[in-house]
Amino acid sequence: MSHSRRQPLPNPLTVPERALPDLPLRQALRFEPGRPLADFDPAATPGYPGRGKSDAAELTDLIRPALDQWQERLFADGKERGSAANSVLVVLQGLDTAGKGGIVRHVFGLFDPQGLRLASFKQPTPKELSHHFLWRIRRQLPEPGLIGVFDRSHYEDVLVVRVDQLVPADQLDRHYDEINRFEAELVDQGTRLIKCFLNVSPEEQKRRLLARLTDPAKWWKYSTNDVKVRAKWPAYQEAYQVALDRCDQPAAPWYVIPSDRKWYRNWAVAMLLLEELDDLAPTWPAPDYDVAAELARVRSS
Ligand code: AMP
Ligand code: MG
């Protein structure tokens, strides 16, 4: 895939060296098929250039202007080129408390809401169940020029559906190939996919569930189902392993985000997005009018 620059960037976006990871996160966090998920430490902080929690907000602030401007260019490009423009889709998957909601709030809160398309996928409604599992997903894809965020996704159809055996085994088996074809199609149409597995440890999940139950302001986040899902931890690890092994493609990569430390998790997803946008490098659209002539017209008006 080539992304030619149609015009030189008027003001190159730079991020201070000290805010950048020594190794691009797209390499440092990249899953490789066959690699056991148990090898990934949920409390690790790969590539983090600072001291820790104490400077995470500051380092995030340093990349915010670049994120903001890339997003605006992407959006402008979408207005200009319509279906020929690119989009970005961030898929967030992880067990309860892993931080899907936290990322939506803290990472996507950095962006201009008009350039975002957020969707969350719950237990399918009867209507959704009457369609193919990708039907509801297609309806929520980001239009060209937008950054889409999926809080859960089509992967639920190989995760909870596998663990709870919600469909016959042969149908489940087909889901993986259907997902791969679907994602390849998306990429062909110009969508950049960033698939994040938020890797939280069982100990940290327990702390977070307890925190939800001991703070009335967090009761709404708790579901009595969470403890039932937690009891199936090994089955979910296996389901994630198979999903990542079978549905990792060069153009639709999986990243494993260590998620025991919220500050690292949020910074890492923001940085992954920055790297992707940097690579995509959308340009400001050229005007479809004569700038000098319009200047003269406005001045004399
Ligand atoms: P939450 O995201 O915590 O509000 O919970 C949403 C619930 O919907 C989770 O228990 C998911 O496993 C469940 N869910 C999402 N997609 C599906 C699906 N395709 N089939 C069955 N359950 C699903
Ligand atoms: Mg929940």
Side-chain angles (χ1 to χ4, degrees):
M1 219 175 12
S2 81
H3 299 277
S4 61
R5 293 186 170 180
R6 290 176 303 138
Q7 60 183 72
L9 305 184
N11 42 352
L13 301 169
T14 52
V15 171
E17 195 74 28
R18 70 189 174 93
L20 295 171
D22 41 9
L23 181 69
L25 284 199
R26 291 197 304 173
Q27 273 166 260
L29 301 182
R30 181 78 160 79
F31 174 76
E32 298 146 42
R35 175 125 182 249
L37 284 178
D39 281 2
F40 291 86
D41 177 4
T45 59
Y48 186 71
R51 287 185 302 276
K53 186 177 182 176
S54 63
D55 54 6
E58 184 197 342
L59 290 178
T60 304
D61 277 346
L62 288 173
I63 64 174
R64 187 197 298 257
L67 281 174
D68 186 58
Q69 200 183 122
W70 282 137
Q71 186 204 15
E72 196 176 353
R73 290 185 191 199
L74 186 72
F75 187 76
D77 192 43
K79 286 258 178 212
E80 171 77 6
R81 294 199 298 145
S83 62
N86 293 99
S87 59
V88 175
L89 175 58
V90 180
V91 168
L92 300 176
Q93 282 291 163
L95 292 173
D96 293 302
T97 76
K100 301 178 294 290
I103 289 173
V104 170
R105 183 188 181 117
H106 295 287
V107 179
F108 293 95
L110 300 171
F111 290 98
D112 179 349
Q114 70 180 325
L116 292 178
R117 173 94 192 245
L118 170 66
S120 58
F121 296 96
K122 310 287 179 191
Q123 220 167 9
T125 61
K127 179 168 182 188
E128 287 171 341
L129 278 177
S130 73
H131 289 274
H132 187 270
F133 76 96
L134 292 172
W135 178 79
R136 66 174 183 163
I137 306 293
R138 292 182 191 277
R139 291 159 56 97
Q140 301 278 7
L141 290 171
E143 290 85 23
L146 299 194
I147 298 178
V149 193
F150 280 2
D151 170 350
R152 303 188 191 268
S153 66
H154 43 296
Y155 280 96
E156 291 294 325
D157 286 90
V158 291
L159 294 166
V160 62
V161 167
R162 181 186 182 95
V163 170
D164 290 346
Q165 300 178 3
L166 301 179
V167 301
D170 57 330
Q171 188 182 336
L172 171 70
D173 194 56
R174 285 196 297 275
H175 284 184
Y176 298 92
D177 299 329
E178 287 170 341
I179 287 176
N180 284 334
R181 275 200 300 277
F182 167 66
E183 292 184 353
E185 211 180 282
L186 277 185
V187 171
D188 280 347
Q189 289 162 3
T191 300
R192 292 291 189 102
L193 269 171
I194 306 175
K195 300 187 290 186
C196 300
F197 167 50
L198 309 179
N199 188 26
V200 75
S201 67
E203 298 77 25
E204 180 62 21
Q205 187 197 45
K206 186 169 190 168
R207 275 192 287 277
R208 291 182 188 172
L209 287 175
L210 290 172
R212 287 182 178 184
L213 284 169
T214 47
D215 178 355
K218 289 184 175 158
W219 285 346
W220 68 275
K221 294 188 187 183
Y222 184 83
S223 152
T224 53
N225 194 45
D226 292 352
V227 65
K228 291 185 206 152
V229 174
R230 177 173 163 76
K232 302 175 201 170
W233 193 278
Y236 270 99
Q237 294 304 305
E238 192 255 356
Y240 269 105
Q241 182 78 53
V242 177
L244 270 63
D245 280 340
R246 290 188 64 175
C247 299
D248 181 282
Q249 308 180 79
W254 270 107
Y255 299 101
V256 179
I257 316 289
S259 296
D260 273 11
R261 302 173 200 264
K262 295 176 182 176
W263 57 266
Y264 175 81
R265 176 199 72 199
N266 294 343
W267 171 84
V269 173
M271 184 55 74
L272 271 178
L273 251 163
L274 177 61
E275 290 177 3
E276 197 70 38
L277 289 166
D278 224 30
D279 187 43
L280 192 55
T283 55
W284 294 118
D288 58 0
Y289 50 84
D290 179 339
V291 176
E294 292 305 305
L295 265 174
R297 284 180 68 201
V298 172
R299 283 190 180 125
S300 66
S301 66

